[in-house]
Amino acid sequence: FLFMIGNYVTGFWMPHSIKAIGHGLDHFTIGLLVMVPNLIGLGAMVMVSRSASRHGERHWHAALSLLTAALAFSLLSTAASLPGCLLLWSVATSGLYGFIGPFWSLPSQFLTGRAAATALATICSIGNLAGFVGLTAFGALANRTGGLESGYRIIGASLALGAVLLVAQRLRDAAWIGSEALNH
């Protein structure tokens, strides 16, 4: 849910943010500049997914990716130059894209068959609703405040909350596995 809001905000508001910083840029140039953070994010997705597979640990990789994106979103409104703006968007997309691989492998670690299919369908449904609600709320907040700063900070806080929830689940699972070992 939280990831989808960040992902949709990136897709819809990144061009607006780049246009606001890069005064006088034409639409073609803005389109080319939007590709830069997405290509960097693609590389991050591959690297984080490989690392998560190599280490056999998904929760921490997903949580650190979300924290990376959260930090970038929180700082995005401070970007005063086009290179700074592109750097922060690159860090944000790297965190969001890096989250994808480890996150989507989590349900299959403890669910199989119909339960896994139901869980994945539920995640997708809630995520799509989040995209609609999140974009609508982000746009309304931008109109009300006259800027994108508040929205970026809310997205950053939401992503940080997602990271905390992933870590909490990991710690709870570790405690549960430890107590099961003691009972046998």
Side-chain angles (χ1 to χ4, degrees):
F1 173 78
L2 302 169
F3 161 75
M4 291 302 287
I5 293 173
N7 201 29
Y8 283 119
V9 166
T10 299
F12 284 100
W13 291 99
M14 185 191 319
H16 179 76
S17 175
I18 291 172
K19 183 178 182 178
I21 293 284
H23 305 287
L25 293 176
D26 60 37
H27 295 296
F28 180 76
T29 305
I30 292 169
L32 289 175
L33 291 174
V34 166
M35 286 175 31
V36 172
N38 286 298
L39 289 173
I40 292 171
L42 175 65
M45 179 175 22
V46 171
M47 288 179 7
V48 171
S49 295
R50 282 185 180 171
S51 177
S53 293
R54 186 172 46 253
H55 292 99
E57 210 314 301
R58 308 295 193 263
H59 287 86
W60 289 105
H61 282 80
L64 289 174
S65 293
L66 284 181
L67 285 176
T68 300
L71 178 63
F73 271 107
S74 297
L75 296 173
L76 201 50
S77 61
T78 65
S81 67
L82 187 58
C85 181
L86 286 174
L87 174 68
L88 287 170
W89 276 113
S90 296
V91 173
T93 56
S94 293
L96 290 173
Y97 290 6
F99 168 78
I100 293 171
F103 174 76
W104 284 108
S105 66
L106 287 174
S108 64
Q109 289 182 338
F110 55 90
L111 298 173
T112 59
R114 289 184 180 171
T118 302
L120 294 175
T122 302
I123 291 167
C124 287
S125 298
I126 292 171
N128 285 323
L129 285 173
F132 172 75
V133 172
L135 281 178
T136 303
F138 192 90
L141 187 60
N143 283 336
R144 185 171 187 169
T145 62
L148 303 175
E149 298 82 18
S150 301
Y152 290 147
R153 288 192 182 106
I154 290 171
I155 297 297
S158 298
L159 293 172
L161 174 63
V164 168
L165 292 173
L166 278 166
V167 170
Q169 180 191 17
R170 177 67 177 111
L171 296 175
R172 183 198 59 141
D173 290 348
W176 183 79
I177 290 170
S179 68
E180 284 292 311
L182 291 175
N183 291 334
H184 287 92

